[in-house]
Structures are given as structure tokens and as C-alpha cells.
Amino acid sequence: MSDQRVKSWRLLAANPVTVVSAAVLAGVVAIALTAAWIAPYGVNDVDVPQALRPPSGSHWLGTDELGRDVLSRVLVAVQASMTVAVVSVAFAAVAGVTVGVLAGYRGGWLDTAVMRVVDVLFAFPVLLLALAIVAILGPGLGTTILAIGVVYTPIFARVSRASTLSVRVEPYVAVSRTMGTGSGYILARHILPNITGPLIVQTSLSLAFAILSEAALSFLGLGLQPPRPSLGRMIFDSQGFVTLAWWMAVFPGAAIFVIVLAFNLFGDGLRDVLDPKQRTMIEARRRR
């Protein structure tokens, strides 16, 4: 491992907020992977006599209007939200980076044409465009993933294009071209490795917004469909019971808040480490 990477890891570990957010995200990933096994009850086990029970020893987060265990439903809903976020952001990253890198590296008419399409997509509000896609294709897991992936593709395209434009004029890229090196080798060896920093930060931030987008679509009834639990749908279902059972809305909302906040804080920490200007400022402050 190079000295620069060691310094980056040390700076990352020296930030307690980043460390705590990373620990929270590790816990969220563990929940997403094991939710089906650690949920104490079935997510759709109806027990009407136990309806609207407050948090207790038998139901740690209480029960909903049908007597279903809120903790079990939150755990499985977190799993669903993380699945949607990871798959949709992965789709957006692959599509956006491919388009952005090719446009930035080739330039000319290709860059102009591609970025005009990206600008058109970017002009629409994220949630509005996602709603339009879901309304056309119909609600469901696959449609939700596709809609969120499409609306975040322009963001990755812009970030990767801007980074490629700055890297392609570096001397080592010019030397590779004069030596007759193929474009595929230059992209794989010189361009992509040097634009990973901004892309990693953007991925972390996009995961946070993807969680929010999925919750918003589910809240509006256009995301994940019952009987599959969703954090947004749980909040929607709790509207008529806010005064009777506050836990039905508070715990799903708290799950969304914690996950989104952890992704944002972790993304800020990565930016401080991966951005040379930010890293230089942090190192200067530490020397004082």
C-alpha cells in the first residue's frame, strides 16, 4: 500500500464522525443481509388482538393496526430499501460513467450530443421524473429500481465527464497517445483510475438520495407494493394512527433518517480524504 493511501486511511480514521457513520452503515448492511433471519416475527403475521400495542418486551417497537410486529417490518423494509438503493445506484453509475467518460474523452459532436441529452434529463426534478417513469411502467420493485437508476444516471455522467476532461490533458495521457497507445488502454489505465475519487463520493451521496426516493415513491403508493414492507409505505399507513400509535411512524422515519444521515456523513468524510484540496486543508489544520 502506498504512503498516500496510508495517509488517506489515517485521515479517514482520525475523523470520529466518519468512523461512527461507517460503523452505522456496516450495521445497516448487516441488517440488510440477515433481516429474514433476525426478524423476530413474520412481517405479515396478523394478530388483531395485539393491534396497536406500544413497545414492550414481546414487541420491542410495538405493533401496527393489524397486530404485525413493527420491528420485524422495519428490518425487512431496510433490506428492501438497501436493495433498491444499491442496485439502482449501481445501474446509474455504470451507465452514467460510461456515457460521461466517452463524452469527455472523445469530445466534439459526441460530447455535445450526449451532454445535451443529459441536460434535458437533469432539468427534471428527480422525484417528478421517477414518478413519470413509474406511472408509465407501473409500480413494483423492478420499476422502482429502473426509475431511480435512470434519474441518477445524469449525475454520474456529469461528474465523470468533468473529471475526464481534467485528466485527459495530463502529460502522461499525452505521452501515451504519442506512443500510439490505444484509447481502450488509456481509458482503463489512466482515465478511470484517476476519476474514482469523485465517483466514490458521488456513489455514497447517491445511495442516500436513492433511499429517500424509494421511500417517497412507496409513500405515494408507486414504489414497493404490499405485502412487501417498505419504510415509506409504513409511514403512509401510520397517518390515521399518529395520535394512537406514534411508534408506527416514528421508527420507520427514524430508520430513514439514520441511514440517509450516515451515508451523507460518510460521503463528506470520503470527500475530505479523496479531494486533494480538502486533504491539504485538513493536514494544514492538524499541523497547527
Side-chain angles (χ1 to χ4, degrees), residues 105-152:
Y105 182 74
R106 291 293 184 183
W109 67 267
L110 178 64
D111 182 28
T112 302
V114 168
M115 295 316 296
R116 292 300 77 78
V117 174
V118 169
D119 289 341
V120 170
L121 292 174
F122 203 76
F124 288 93
V126 170
L127 186 57
L128 181 61
L129 182 57
L131 283 172
I133 295 173
V134 173
I136 294 172
L137 300 178
L141 176 62
T143 308
T144 302
I145 291 174
L146 178 62
I148 296 175
V150 169
V151 298
Y152 285 106

Short mmCIF file of all heavy atoms in Angstrom, two decimals, residues 105-152:
data_model
loop_
_atom_site.label_atom_id
_atom_site.label_comp_id
_atom_site.label_asym_id
_atom_site.label_seq_id
_atom_site.Cartn_x
_atom_site.Cartn_y
_atom_site.Cartn_z
N TYR A 105 -13.84 12.12 -23.04
CA TYR A 105 -12.59 11.72 -23.69
C TYR A 105 -12.61 12.01 -25.19
O TYR A 105 -11.63 12.50 -25.74
CB TYR A 105 -12.34 10.23 -23.45
CG TYR A 105 -11.06 9.73 -24.04
CD1 TYR A 105 -9.83 10.03 -23.45
CD2 TYR A 105 -11.06 8.94 -25.19
CE1 TYR A 105 -8.65 9.57 -24.00
CE2 TYR A 105 -9.89 8.48 -25.75
CZ TYR A 105 -8.68 8.80 -25.14
OH TYR A 105 -7.50 8.34 -25.69
N ARG A 106 -13.73 11.70 -25.84
CA ARG A 106 -13.82 11.92 -27.28
C ARG A 106 -14.02 13.39 -27.63
O ARG A 106 -13.44 13.90 -28.58
CB ARG A 106 -14.98 11.10 -27.86
CG ARG A 106 -14.75 9.61 -27.85
CD ARG A 106 -13.64 9.22 -28.79
NE ARG A 106 -13.48 7.77 -28.88
CZ ARG A 106 -12.55 7.17 -29.59
NH1 ARG A 106 -11.67 7.88 -30.27
NH2 ARG A 106 -12.47 5.86 -29.62
N GLY A 107 -14.88 14.07 -26.88
CA GLY A 107 -15.16 15.47 -27.16
C GLY A 107 -15.93 15.64 -28.47
O GLY A 107 -16.55 14.70 -28.97
N GLY A 108 -15.90 16.83 -29.01
CA GLY A 108 -16.53 17.10 -30.30
C GLY A 108 -18.04 16.93 -30.28
O GLY A 108 -18.71 17.20 -29.28
N TRP A 109 -18.58 16.46 -31.41
CA TRP A 109 -20.02 16.33 -31.56
C TRP A 109 -20.61 15.31 -30.60
O TRP A 109 -21.74 15.45 -30.15
CB TRP A 109 -20.36 15.97 -33.00
CG TRP A 109 -19.90 14.59 -33.40
CD1 TRP A 109 -18.73 14.26 -34.00
CD2 TRP A 109 -20.62 13.36 -33.20
NE1 TRP A 109 -18.64 12.89 -34.20
CE2 TRP A 109 -19.80 12.32 -33.72
CE3 TRP A 109 -21.86 13.04 -32.65
CZ2 TRP A 109 -20.19 10.98 -33.69
CZ3 TRP A 109 -22.25 11.71 -32.62
CH2 TRP A 109 -21.43 10.69 -33.14
N LEU A 110 -19.83 14.24 -30.29
CA LEU A 110 -20.32 13.22 -29.35
C LEU A 110 -20.54 13.82 -27.98
O LEU A 110 -21.59 13.58 -27.34
CB LEU A 110 -19.33 12.05 -29.28
CG LEU A 110 -19.72 10.93 -28.30
CD1 LEU A 110 -21.00 10.26 -28.74
CD2 LEU A 110 -18.58 9.90 -28.21
N ASP A 111 -19.59 14.61 -27.53
CA ASP A 111 -19.72 15.26 -26.22
C ASP A 111 -20.92 16.20 -26.21
O ASP A 111 -21.72 16.20 -25.27
CB ASP A 111 -18.43 16.02 -25.92
CG ASP A 111 -18.46 16.69 -24.56
OD1 ASP A 111 -19.16 16.17 -23.66
OD2 ASP A 111 -17.81 17.72 -24.38
N THR A 112 -21.07 16.98 -27.27
CA THR A 112 -22.19 17.93 -27.33
C THR A 112 -23.53 17.22 -27.33
O THR A 112 -24.45 17.59 -26.58
CB THR A 112 -22.06 18.80 -28.60
OG1 THR A 112 -20.80 19.49 -28.58
CG2 THR A 112 -23.18 19.82 -28.66
N ALA A 113 -23.66 16.19 -28.15
CA ALA A 113 -24.94 15.48 -28.26
C ALA A 113 -25.30 14.76 -26.95
O ALA A 113 -26.44 14.86 -26.47
CB ALA A 113 -24.87 14.47 -29.41
N VAL A 114 -24.33 14.07 -26.40
CA VAL A 114 -24.59 13.30 -25.17
C VAL A 114 -24.95 14.23 -24.02
O VAL A 114 -25.91 13.99 -23.27
CB VAL A 114 -23.38 12.43 -24.81
CG1 VAL A 114 -23.52 11.87 -23.40
CG2 VAL A 114 -23.22 11.30 -25.80
N MET A 115 -24.21 15.30 -23.86
CA MET A 115 -24.44 16.18 -22.72
C MET A 115 -25.73 16.98 -22.86
O MET A 115 -26.32 17.38 -21.86
CB MET A 115 -23.25 17.12 -22.53
CG MET A 115 -21.96 16.38 -22.15
SD MET A 115 -22.18 15.09 -20.88
CE MET A 115 -22.70 16.06 -19.47
N ARG A 116 -26.19 17.21 -24.09
CA ARG A 116 -27.49 17.87 -24.24
C ARG A 116 -28.61 16.96 -23.77
O ARG A 116 -29.57 17.41 -23.15
CB ARG A 116 -27.71 18.27 -25.70
CG ARG A 116 -26.80 19.36 -26.23
CD ARG A 116 -26.90 20.69 -25.50
NE ARG A 116 -26.21 20.70 -24.22
CZ ARG A 116 -24.89 20.82 -24.06
NH1 ARG A 116 -24.12 20.95 -25.12
NH2 ARG A 116 -24.36 20.86 -22.86
N VAL A 117 -28.50 15.67 -24.07
CA VAL A 117 -29.48 14.71 -23.58
C VAL A 117 -29.43 14.65 -22.05
O VAL A 117 -30.46 14.63 -21.37
CB VAL A 117 -29.23 13.32 -24.19
CG1 VAL A 117 -30.18 12.28 -23.57
CG2 VAL A 117 -29.41 13.36 -25.70
N VAL A 118 -28.23 14.63 -21.52
CA VAL A 118 -28.06 14.60 -20.06
C VAL A 118 -28.65 15.86 -19.43
O VAL A 118 -29.31 15.79 -18.38
CB VAL A 118 -26.56 14.47 -19.70
CG1 VAL A 118 -26.34 14.72 -18.20
CG2 VAL A 118 -26.05 13.09 -20.08
N ASP A 119 -28.45 17.00 -20.06
CA ASP A 119 -29.01 18.25 -19.53
C ASP A 119 -30.53 18.22 -19.52
O ASP A 119 -31.16 18.75 -18.59
CB ASP A 119 -28.52 19.43 -20.37
CG ASP A 119 -27.05 19.72 -20.16
OD1 ASP A 119 -26.50 19.28 -19.13
OD2 ASP A 119 -26.44 20.38 -21.02
N VAL A 120 -31.13 17.63 -20.55
CA VAL A 120 -32.59 17.53 -20.60
C VAL A 120 -33.09 16.68 -19.43
O VAL A 120 -34.05 17.05 -18.74
CB VAL A 120 -33.05 16.94 -21.94
CG1 VAL A 120 -34.54 16.60 -21.90
CG2 VAL A 120 -32.76 17.91 -23.07
N LEU A 121 -32.46 15.53 -19.20
CA LEU A 121 -32.86 14.68 -18.09
C LEU A 121 -32.60 15.36 -16.75
O LEU A 121 -33.39 15.24 -15.81
CB LEU A 121 -32.09 13.35 -18.14
CG LEU A 121 -32.43 12.41 -19.29
CD1 LEU A 121 -31.49 11.21 -19.28
CD2 LEU A 121 -33.88 11.96 -19.21
N PHE A 122 -31.50 16.10 -16.68
CA PHE A 122 -31.12 16.76 -15.43
C PHE A 122 -32.06 17.92 -15.11
O PHE A 122 -32.17 18.33 -13.95
CB PHE A 122 -29.69 17.27 -15.54
CG PHE A 122 -29.02 17.47 -14.22
CD1 PHE A 122 -28.56 16.39 -13.49
CD2 PHE A 122 -28.84 18.74 -13.69
CE1 PHE A 122 -27.94 16.56 -12.27
CE2 PHE A 122 -28.22 18.92 -12.47
CZ PHE A 122 -27.76 17.82 -11.75
N ALA A 123 -32.74 18.43 -16.12
CA ALA A 123 -33.64 19.57 -15.90
C ALA A 123 -34.89 19.17 -15.13
O ALA A 123 -35.51 20.01 -14.48
CB ALA A 123 -34.03 20.20 -17.24
N PHE A 124 -35.27 17.89 -15.20
CA PHE A 124 -36.46 17.44 -14.49
C PHE A 124 -36.13 17.20 -13.02
O PHE A 124 -35.07 16.66 -12.71
CB PHE A 124 -36.99 16.13 -15.09
CG PHE A 124 -37.63 16.30 -16.43
CD1 PHE A 124 -36.90 16.13 -17.59
CD2 PHE A 124 -38.98 16.61 -16.53
CE1 PHE A 124 -37.49 16.27 -18.83
CE2 PHE A 124 -39.58 16.76 -17.76
CZ PHE A 124 -38.83 16.59 -18.92
N PRO A 125 -37.01 17.59 -12.10
CA PRO A 125 -36.81 17.21 -10.70
C PRO A 125 -36.74 15.69 -10.57
O PRO A 125 -37.47 14.97 -11.27
CB PRO A 125 -38.06 17.78 -10.00
CG PRO A 125 -38.54 18.88 -10.89
CD PRO A 125 -38.20 18.44 -12.30
N VAL A 126 -35.87 15.23 -9.70
CA VAL A 126 -35.62 13.79 -9.58
C VAL A 126 -36.90 13.01 -9.30
O VAL A 126 -37.22 12.03 -9.99
CB VAL A 126 -34.57 13.54 -8.47
CG1 VAL A 126 -34.48 12.05 -8.16
CG2 VAL A 126 -33.22 14.07 -8.89
N LEU A 127 -37.65 13.44 -8.30
CA LEU A 127 -38.85 12.70 -7.91
C LEU A 127 -39.91 12.76 -9.01
O LEU A 127 -40.60 11.77 -9.27
CB LEU A 127 -39.41 13.26 -6.60
CG LEU A 127 -40.60 12.49 -6.01
CD1 LEU A 127 -40.24 11.02 -5.78
CD2 LEU A 127 -41.06 13.14 -4.70
N LEU A 128 -40.03 13.91 -9.68
CA LEU A 128 -41.03 14.05 -10.74
C LEU A 128 -40.73 13.10 -11.90
O LEU A 128 -41.64 12.45 -12.44
CB LEU A 128 -41.08 15.49 -11.23
CG LEU A 128 -42.12 15.81 -12.32
CD1 LEU A 128 -43.52 15.51 -11.82
CD2 LEU A 128 -42.00 17.26 -12.76
N LEU A 129 -39.47 13.01 -12.30
CA LEU A 129 -39.09 12.12 -13.39
C LEU A 129 -39.30 10.67 -12.99
O LEU A 129 -39.78 9.85 -13.79
CB LEU A 129 -37.64 12.36 -13.78
CG LEU A 129 -37.10 11.54 -14.95
CD1 LEU A 129 -37.95 11.75 -16.20
CD2 LEU A 129 -35.64 11.90 -15.24
N ALA A 130 -38.94 10.33 -11.75
CA ALA A 130 -39.16 8.97 -11.26
C ALA A 130 -40.64 8.62 -11.24
O ALA A 130 -41.05 7.52 -11.61
CB ALA A 130 -38.55 8.80 -9.87
N LEU A 131 -41.47 9.57 -10.81
CA LEU A 131 -42.92 9.36 -10.79
C LEU A 131 -43.45 9.11 -12.21
O LEU A 131 -44.31 8.25 -12.42
CB LEU A 131 -43.62 10.56 -10.17
CG LEU A 131 -43.58 10.69 -8.66
CD1 LEU A 131 -44.14 12.04 -8.23
CD2 LEU A 131 -44.36 9.56 -8.00
N ALA A 132 -42.95 9.86 -13.17
CA ALA A 132 -43.40 9.70 -14.55
C ALA A 132 -43.04 8.32 -15.08
O ALA A 132 -43.86 7.66 -15.74
CB ALA A 132 -42.77 10.79 -15.44
N ILE A 133 -41.83 7.86 -14.79
CA ILE A 133 -41.40 6.54 -15.26
C ILE A 133 -42.25 5.44 -14.64
O ILE A 133 -42.71 4.51 -15.32
CB ILE A 133 -39.91 6.32 -14.95
CG1 ILE A 133 -39.06 7.31 -15.75
CG2 ILE A 133 -39.49 4.89 -15.27
CD1 ILE A 133 -37.59 7.30 -15.39
N VAL A 134 -42.47 5.54 -13.32
CA VAL A 134 -43.26 4.53 -12.62
C VAL A 134 -44.71 4.56 -13.10
O VAL A 134 -45.36 3.51 -13.24
CB VAL A 134 -43.18 4.73 -11.10
CG1 VAL A 134 -44.13 3.79 -10.37
CG2 VAL A 134 -41.75 4.51 -10.61
N ALA A 135 -45.23 5.75 -13.34
CA ALA A 135 -46.62 5.87 -13.81
C ALA A 135 -46.79 5.22 -15.17
O ALA A 135 -47.85 4.64 -15.47
CB ALA A 135 -47.02 7.34 -13.86
N ILE A 136 -45.78 5.28 -16.02
CA ILE A 136 -45.86 4.69 -17.35
C ILE A 136 -45.71 3.17 -17.29
O ILE A 136 -46.46 2.43 -17.94
CB ILE A 136 -44.79 5.30 -18.28
CG1 ILE A 136 -45.08 6.78 -18.53
CG2 ILE A 136 -44.72 4.55 -19.61
CD1 ILE A 136 -43.98 7.51 -19.26
N LEU A 137 -44.74 2.71 -16.50
CA LEU A 137 -44.41 1.27 -16.48
C LEU A 137 -45.17 0.50 -15.42
O LEU A 137 -45.21 -0.72 -15.47
CB LEU A 137 -42.90 1.10 -16.27
CG LEU A 137 -41.99 1.72 -17.33
CD1 LEU A 137 -40.54 1.50 -16.98
CD2 LEU A 137 -42.31 1.15 -18.71
N GLY A 138 -45.75 1.20 -14.43
CA GLY A 138 -46.47 0.53 -13.36
C GLY A 138 -45.59 0.33 -12.14
O GLY A 138 -44.37 0.15 -12.27
N PRO A 139 -46.18 0.37 -10.94
CA PRO A 139 -45.39 0.24 -9.71
C PRO A 139 -44.86 -1.16 -9.51
O PRO A 139 -45.37 -2.13 -10.08
CB PRO A 139 -46.40 0.62 -8.62
CG PRO A 139 -47.73 0.27 -9.20
CD PRO A 139 -47.61 0.54 -10.67
N GLY A 140 -43.82 -1.27 -8.71
CA GLY A 140 -43.22 -2.56 -8.42
C GLY A 140 -41.74 -2.42 -8.12
O GLY A 140 -41.16 -1.34 -8.28
N LEU A 141 -41.11 -3.49 -7.69
CA LEU A 141 -39.70 -3.45 -7.32
C LEU A 141 -38.81 -3.12 -8.51
O LEU A 141 -37.97 -2.23 -8.45
CB LEU A 141 -39.29 -4.80 -6.71
CG LEU A 141 -37.80 -4.97 -6.36
CD1 LEU A 141 -37.39 -3.96 -5.29
CD2 LEU A 141 -37.52 -6.39 -5.90
N GLY A 142 -39.00 -3.85 -9.62
CA GLY A 142 -38.16 -3.63 -10.78
C GLY A 142 -38.32 -2.24 -11.37
O GLY A 142 -37.34 -1.59 -11.76
N THR A 143 -39.55 -1.76 -11.40
CA THR A 143 -39.80 -0.42 -11.94
C THR A 143 -39.20 0.65 -11.05
O THR A 143 -38.66 1.65 -11.55
CB THR A 143 -41.31 -0.18 -12.08
OG1 THR A 143 -41.89 -1.25 -12.82
CG2 THR A 143 -41.59 1.13 -12.79
N THR A 144 -39.28 0.46 -9.75
CA THR A 144 -38.69 1.43 -8.82
C THR A 144 -37.19 1.51 -9.01
O THR A 144 -36.60 2.61 -9.04
CB THR A 144 -39.01 1.03 -7.37
OG1 THR A 144 -40.43 0.96 -7.20
CG2 THR A 144 -38.43 2.03 -6.39
N ILE A 145 -36.54 0.35 -9.14
CA ILE A 145 -35.09 0.33 -9.36
C ILE A 145 -34.74 1.03 -10.67
O ILE A 145 -33.80 1.84 -10.73
CB ILE A 145 -34.58 -1.12 -9.37
CG1 ILE A 145 -34.69 -1.72 -7.97
CG2 ILE A 145 -33.14 -1.19 -9.87
CD1 ILE A 145 -34.35 -3.20 -7.91
N LEU A 146 -35.49 0.73 -11.73
CA LEU A 146 -35.22 1.35 -13.03
C LEU A 146 -35.42 2.86 -12.98
O LEU A 146 -34.59 3.63 -13.50
CB LEU A 146 -36.14 0.74 -14.09
CG LEU A 146 -36.01 1.33 -15.50
CD1 LEU A 146 -34.61 1.10 -16.06
CD2 LEU A 146 -37.06 0.72 -16.43
N ALA A 147 -36.50 3.30 -12.35
CA ALA A 147 -36.80 4.73 -12.29
C ALA A 147 -35.71 5.49 -11.54
O ALA A 147 -35.22 6.53 -12.01
CB ALA A 147 -38.16 4.95 -11.62
N ILE A 148 -35.32 4.99 -10.38
CA ILE A 148 -34.27 5.66 -9.60
C ILE A 148 -32.94 5.61 -10.34
O ILE A 148 -32.18 6.60 -10.35
CB ILE A 148 -34.17 5.03 -8.20
CG1 ILE A 148 -35.47 5.25 -7.43
CG2 ILE A 148 -32.99 5.63 -7.42
CD1 ILE A 148 -35.52 4.56 -6.08
N GLY A 149 -32.65 4.49 -10.99
CA GLY A 149 -31.40 4.39 -11.75
C GLY A 149 -31.34 5.39 -12.89
O GLY A 149 -30.31 6.03 -13.12
N VAL A 150 -32.46 5.56 -13.59
CA VAL A 150 -32.49 6.49 -14.72
C VAL A 150 -32.31 7.93 -14.25
O VAL A 150 -31.55 8.70 -14.86
CB VAL A 150 -33.81 6.33 -15.50
CG1 VAL A 150 -33.99 7.47 -16.50
CG2 VAL A 150 -33.85 4.99 -16.23
N VAL A 151 -32.97 8.31 -13.17
CA VAL A 151 -32.92 9.72 -12.76
C VAL A 151 -31.56 10.10 -12.17
O VAL A 151 -31.20 11.29 -12.16
CB VAL A 151 -34.04 10.04 -11.74
CG1 VAL A 151 -35.40 9.81 -12.36
CG2 VAL A 151 -33.89 9.23 -10.46
N TYR A 152 -30.78 9.11 -11.70
CA TYR A 152 -29.45 9.44 -11.16
C TYR A 152 -28.33 9.22 -12.16
O TYR A 152 -27.18 9.58 -11.87
CB TYR A 152 -29.19 8.63 -9.88
CG TYR A 152 -29.96 9.16 -8.70
CD1 TYR A 152 -31.07 8.48 -8.20
CD2 TYR A 152 -29.61 10.36 -8.10
CE1 TYR A 152 -31.80 8.99 -7.14
CE2 TYR A 152 -30.34 10.88 -7.04
CZ TYR A 152 -31.43 10.18 -6.57
OH TYR A 152 -32.15 10.69 -5.52
#
